[in-house]
Amino acid sequence: MFTTTGSRGLYKAPLSKSLLLLPGALTVLLILGLPQYQKLFIYSLQAVKQHKQVWRLVSGRLICLDVKDTFCSSLLIYNFRIFERRFGSRKFASFLFGTWVLSGLLDFLLAETLQFCFELQVDVLPAGLWLCSHPLDAHPAVKE
C-alpha cells in the first residue's frame, strides 16, 4: 500500500539537496563567521537603483540574513523535493528560476508602484529563498 523506497530524505533530488546545503552553509557562515559583512547582502532596491549594485539582486535573493528565515526556507525546499522527484530536476530548476525572476520583477514593480501612487518608499525587502518558493508571499518593509 505504501512505498518506502525513495520516499524519504533527498533520494533522487539533487537540486533540493544543493539548495539546502549551499545557501544554508553560506547563511551560517555569514551569521556566525562573518557578521561584519551582513550589510553587503541586504536586499535593498534603493541600493540597486541609486548606486547600481546589481549583485544585490542575486545575493539578496539567495542568502538569508536570519536563522529563522534560513530554517523556514530550508523546510520549504525540503518539502518541495517531492515536486523535484515528480517533475524531474530540469523542470523543477526551470520552475524555480522562473519564479525567482518573476518575483524579482514583481518586487521592483511593486516598490515603484507604491512610490508612484502612494509616495511610500520601500527600503529593504526580505532576503533569502522565500520568494523563490512562494512568489506571492512578499511582505516588504514599507517606510513613509
Side-chain angles (χ1 to χ4, degrees):
M1 181 185 276
F2 295 107
T3 62
T4 59
T5 57
S7 63
R8 296 176 189 232
L10 294 167
Y11 178 71
K12 291 189 178 178
L15 184 66
S16 297
K17 187 185 299 185
S18 62
L19 282 177
L20 282 173
L21 292 177
L22 293 176
L26 288 174
T27 302
V28 169
L29 177 69
L30 189 64
I31 291 172
L32 298 177
L34 305 167
Q36 66 269 22
Y37 295 113
Q38 272 190 351
K39 64 180 183 276
L40 296 175
F41 296 99
I42 293 175
Y43 186 37
S44 172
L45 291 178
Q46 298 301 321
V48 172
K49 289 190 315 188
Q50 293 172 356
H51 303 295
K52 307 290 190 252
Q53 297 176 350
V54 182
W55 53 270
R56 284 185 188 262
L57 293 175
V58 176
S59 66
R61 307 279 299 215
L62 288 177
I63 300 172
C64 297
L65 297 176
D66 289 335
V67 175
K68 65 175 177 59
D69 291 338
T70 304
F71 180 73
C72 291
S73 63
S74 296
L75 280 177
L76 284 173
I77 294 297
Y78 182 75
N79 286 322
F80 282 168
R81 76 195 187 283
I82 298 164
F83 296 119
E84 183 179 2
R85 283 191 208 128
R86 187 172 295 165
F87 300 126
S89 294
R90 185 175 293 169
K91 284 184 183 179
F92 184 66
S94 66
F95 167 74
L96 285 180
F97 182 73
T99 57
W100 189 67
V101 170
L102 284 176
S103 65
L105 290 174
L106 286 175
D107 284 345
F108 185 73
L109 289 176
L110 179 65
E112 291 298 316
T113 304
L114 285 174
Q115 185 175 5
F116 180 74
C117 293
F118 304 111
E119 296 179 2
L120 295 173
Q121 187 166 349
V122 179
D123 288 335
V124 178
L125 292 173
L129 292 170
W130 283 104
L131 301 178
C132 176
S133 55
H134 280 246
L136 300 176
D137 191 18
H139 302 291
V142 178
K143 276 187 153 179
E144 290 186 18

